[in-house]
Amino acid sequence: MFDTILTWLLLIKCVGALLCIIRVLLGPTHSDRIAALDTLGLMLIGFVGILMILQDTMAYTEVILVVAILAFIGSVALAKYLERGNLFDRD
C-alpha cells in the first residue's frame, strides 16, 4: 500500500516538473523562469528522496546534497545577473 502511494507521488512530481519546465520555456519574465528553475531543483530533490524511500537505500544522499547546492548557487547567480547585469565584480 505504501509503495503504491509513493509511486503515485512520483507521478505527481513528474507532472509538477513538467509544468515547471513549461514555465521555464514560456515564462513571461526572467524572474518567473528563475523561480521555475529553483522549483524544478526542489522537485528533483523530492523525486530522489522518494526513490530512496522506495528502494530502502541511502545511496542517493550525496546526489540530493549536490543537487541542492547547485540549485542554490544557480539561483543566487541568476538573481545577481538580473540585478546587476554581470556576475563578476571588477573592483
Side-chain angles (χ1 to χ4, degrees), residues 22-33:
I22 291 171
R23 174 56 75 190
V24 167
L25 296 175
L26 302 176
T29 64
H30 293 297
S31 300
D32 290 333
R33 291 177 178 176

Side-chain angles (χ1 to χ4, degrees), residues 2 12 17 20 24 28 31 34 42 50-53 65-67 71-72 78 85 88:
F2 189 61
I12 292 170
C20 285
V24 167
S31 300
I34 291 173
L42 292 174
I50 293 172
L51 279 178
M52 284 175 52
I53 294 171
L65 289 173
V66 168
V67 169
F72 174 73
L78 286 171
F88 304 107

Side-chain angles (χ1 to χ4, degrees), residues 6-86:
L6 290 176
T7 305
W8 278 102
L9 283 175
L10 285 176
L11 290 174
I12 292 170
K13 288 265 185 210
C14 287
V15 171
L18 181 65
L19 292 174
C20 285
I21 290 171
I22 291 171
R23 174 56 75 190
V24 167
L25 296 175
L26 302 176
T29 64
H30 293 297
S31 300
D32 290 333
R33 291 177 178 176
I34 291 173
L37 280 174
D38 194 36
T39 306
L40 187 62
L42 292 174
M43 288 279 188
L44 185 61
I45 291 169
F47 190 85
V48 174
I50 293 172
L51 279 178
M52 284 175 52
I53 294 171
L54 272 174
Q55 294 179 357
D56 195 25
T57 183
M58 296 294 289
Y60 304 125
T61 308
E62 293 87 7
V63 173
I64 288 178
L65 289 173
V66 168
V67 169
I69 290 169
L70 288 175
F72 174 73
I73 290 174
S75 296
V76 169
L78 286 171
K80 184 177 178 184
Y81 178 74
L82 281 180
E83 180 182 327
R84 296 187 182 165
N86 61 357

